[in-house]
Amino acid sequence: NVSSDQPTMALSRITESRPRNLHRNARAVVCLRMCTFSFLLISASVAVVLTYISVRRGEVELMQIQYEDSAKLLGEGLKRGVSSKVLSAAALASYYTGRFGRQNKNNAMVWPSVTINNFEEQTMDLLTAADGRAISFNPIITNTTRQSFEQHAASMAGTFGAASLLVAANAGDRIVADGIYCVCAVGGGNLSRQDDPGINTNSRYPTWMVPVYQIAPMASNSKAVMFNLHVESARVRALDDMLTYKVPTLTAVLQLVQDTAERPSSILFHPVFGEFKNNGEEVDVTGSISIVFSWDDVLRGNLPYFMKGMIAVLSARTSSSETQVFTFEIGGGNVTYLGSGNKHDEKYNASKRTVNTSILQAFHSPTSTAIENEMHDIDNNVVQFSFDLYPSKTFEDQFLTNRPIIYSVVVGAVFFVTTLTFCLYDYLVTNNQNRLNRLAVRSSLIVDSLFPASVRNRLFGSEEEDHDPRLVMRGTHLTTAANNNRGG
């Protein structure tokens, strides 16, 4: 009896171990699934983040390169814009000096009573090259020379090409024969057009007058003829600096009377000398060439049309304690005035680039350290202009696009499809295994219904023993012993 129970006990242990083995295998499969899914998820996250960072870094680098190039182009354009005005004024000043200077013995005219025929035709090309709005010759008049100059101007008025300078079109209009005038308050009265009193106590040269004499284009500037520029404070400062240092100067930022909307503008004054310098000797200044321009014109045309959103902050230092500040936006070939004050976005402070626009560099190249130091001293005493350049959100949006997000989504989609394929494959395999298990259970039920328990035990016991060599050997030993007992 003991011998006959041993196979049954072995079979029972095998049968009991089968659920544990199945559970262990199922748990291993679940762990493998989780590890694989986690690996795919981490890989996808890393790939998406690296793709976004890489593409965004490329855009930022491109933006930085384009900004540096744009700032360089704009800086060169600003210097070129100022230099063109200085050179155009210098060319006309040299023409006056050559035509009417003391070295020209054949000239019948005497300073300051000098006139160029067909002034507009001879100067419009210079004005175009300077990208200015008006160009004029303004002689220096004193109370001693005033009468003779006004008589000369009245006799030449018919050559200016404006009938309103000969006969007043409206009450209150002035003609050339009325003489030099100012828009000022004489004797504490209201501002009005009236004869210039011939004295300005706020100037270093109080008895000098600088009237506009010949100007182009005449059609839009005829009312300026005989207007004394040496009255208004900003013009007085620039003219006094020009007379003192004998160099070109700029006025502080002005609002011109012909502009209805606010438009920052300035006037360049270039000295006209009574004769050409000889071996650096001092010569007297007999007049000035003035070029009126607006700062938006100086900024325009320096950047490619596709570049947008550059911010330029104009600073005009009129004294150690006073600075005028104006902000412009440049883009698409247009310049938009944003208003007075510094209106750039402060988050771009680190990208600031500064361009100094010294007109002395265009006027005279230093040939020695002494001359360079002298120019530096002069530059510190006249009105100084500079531009601070910044990018803006508009500029940034040209380069920082949604491409990093798109590329990251594409990479994430690739990993998502890969994960979905893995899940689908796992589902199909698992479903197939479950189907086979159901078939096995169904087959087992069929076997249970057809064979008695002793046959099933012997049948399945033999199957289990085939899977375990130790049980096979043990079962063989027990069978041999049982046969021997029977034989006995």
Side-chain angles (χ1 to χ4, degrees), residues 151-311:
Q151 291 174 351
H152 171 78
S155 66
M156 300 299 296
T159 65
F160 291 172
S164 60
L165 296 178
L166 298 172
V167 179
N170 302 296
D173 289 351
R174 293 184 65 94
I175 60 175
V176 174
D178 292 332
I180 301 172
Y181 76 96
C182 66
V183 178
C184 49
V186 178
N190 296 325
L191 288 175
S192 62
R193 292 184 181 182
Q194 52 192 298
D195 291 342
D196 191 276
I199 187 168
N200 183 355
T201 57
N202 296 320
S203 168
R204 282 168 264 169
Y205 306 90
T207 60
W208 289 17
M209 293 167 281
V210 187
V212 176
Y213 179 48
Q214 292 186 280
I215 188 170
M218 177 60 73
S220 56
N221 295 283
S222 60
K223 291 183 178 181
V225 176
M226 303 301 285
F227 171 69
N228 183 15
L229 298 169
H230 201 221
V231 174
E232 190 270 328
S233 60
R235 295 178 175 90
V236 169
R237 163 73 184 278
L239 285 168
D240 283 358
D241 288 341
M242 182 200 74
L243 294 169
T244 300
Y245 304 112
K246 300 181 180 181
V247 297
T249 57
L250 285 170
T251 66
V253 177
L254 307 171
Q255 177 64 27
L256 301 178
V257 294
Q258 57 264 45
D259 291 330
T260 55
E262 187 177 2
R263 188 181 184 188
S265 304
S266 290
I267 303 175
L268 166 71
F269 291 111
H270 192 291
V272 176
F273 297 104
E275 59 184 324
F276 291 116
K277 290 183 179 181
N278 185 18
N279 297 325
E281 64 181 358
E282 289 292 324
V283 293
D284 59 329
V285 178
T286 58
S288 70
I289 301 299
S290 63
I291 294 181
V292 181
F293 65 94
S294 296
W295 285 102
D296 56 292
D297 290 332
V298 179
L299 292 166
R300 187 176 290 107
N302 295 313
L303 294 180
Y305 279 82
F306 63 83
M307 199 63 64
K308 300 178 181 178
M310 284 287 290
I311 301 298

Side-chain angles (χ1 to χ4, degrees), residues 111-113 140-150 209:
W111 300 111
S113 301
I140 293 175
I141 308 298
T142 65
N143 289 323
T144 303
T145 59
R146 178 173 183 170
Q147 183 178 0
S148 61
F149 169 75
E150 289 179 340
M209 293 167 281

Side-chain angles (χ1 to χ4, degrees), residues 482-488:
N483 289 336
N484 290 337
N485 289 335
R486 291 191 189 96

